[in-house]
Amino acid sequence: INTFDLTAPTINLTCPDTATVELDADCNADLDPDNTGDAFAIAVDDCDTDVTITYSYSDSAPNYTCGTSGYEVVRTWTATAKDDCGNTSSESCDQLIIVEDNIAPVASITCPADMTVTSDENCEADLSTDALGMATGSGTDNCDLNVTIDVTYTDGAPTYTCAGDD
């Protein structure tokens, strides 16, 4: 009498929780499962008490989200259970991996040269940026080639100096 096991094992796969990782100074992220979490599966078979389980995963292309300086990757985990008779079954699940850029850009500013302004006969002086110049700024970032720089200014309270009877 020949008996055959034609029934595949059943498998229950649990994906790791959503993982958040940071980009390093070279704009790289460690997406290794040791850093983002591993999937875990349990397999049961009627004829085999030590079912072999193998794991694999594939990552989606990065999804760059508007308004953030990072991206998201969907990791699809697949676990395959194989019994001693070669019967297999598989299950898949998805894990979200959020990659964040938490390294601030470096800004630099060049201010116009100090100036002495003389008041006119109405005790007024042209303090506009057209007359005095405007500061310029630049910035660099490890992960963004197009850093936006906004240069603003605030005038302080005037310091009056007098010469003679003025």
Side-chain angles (χ1 to χ4, degrees):
I1 298 175
N2 293 325
T3 59
F4 298 97
D5 176 6
L6 301 175
T7 305
T10 59
I11 189 167
N12 184 7
L13 176 63
T14 303
C15 259
D17 292 333
T18 297
T20 301
V21 297
E22 293 183 12
L23 292 168
D24 64 17
D26 294 324
C27 206
N28 296 313
D30 182 2
L31 299 181
D32 188 275
D34 289 340
N35 193 36
T36 60
D38 282 312
F40 177 74
I42 298 173
V44 178
D45 187 72
D46 292 337
C47 300
D48 186 353
T49 59
D50 63 341
V51 176
T52 302
I53 301 173
T54 57
Y55 298 91
S56 64
Y57 65 85
S58 63
D59 292 340
S60 69
N63 177 28
Y64 296 92
T65 53
C66 186
T68 65
S69 56
Y71 56 91
E72 296 177 348
V73 171
V74 175
R75 176 165 289 166
T76 301
W77 286 92
T78 302
T80 302
K82 182 178 180 181
D83 67 16
D84 288 338
C85 293
N87 300 308
T88 62
S89 62
S90 296
E91 186 172 319
S92 296
C93 62
D94 291 334
Q95 174 193 20
L96 178 63
I97 301 173
I98 301 168
V99 180
E100 296 179 337
D101 176 9
N102 292 324
I103 299 173
V106 175
S108 63
I109 189 167
T110 302
C111 292
D114 290 345
M115 296 189 74
T116 300
V117 178
T118 305
S119 299
D120 63 15
E121 64 277 353
N122 297 320
C123 291
E124 294 178 0
D126 184 1
L127 301 179
S128 71
T129 56
D130 289 339
L132 302 177
M134 180 68 176
T136 58
S138 63
T140 59
D141 187 74
N142 61 322
C143 295
D144 186 353
L145 298 176
N146 298 311
V147 176
T148 301
I149 299 293
D150 292 322
V151 178
T152 60
Y153 69 93
T154 304
D155 288 332
T159 301
Y160 299 99
T161 58
C162 297
D165 293 334
D166 290 343

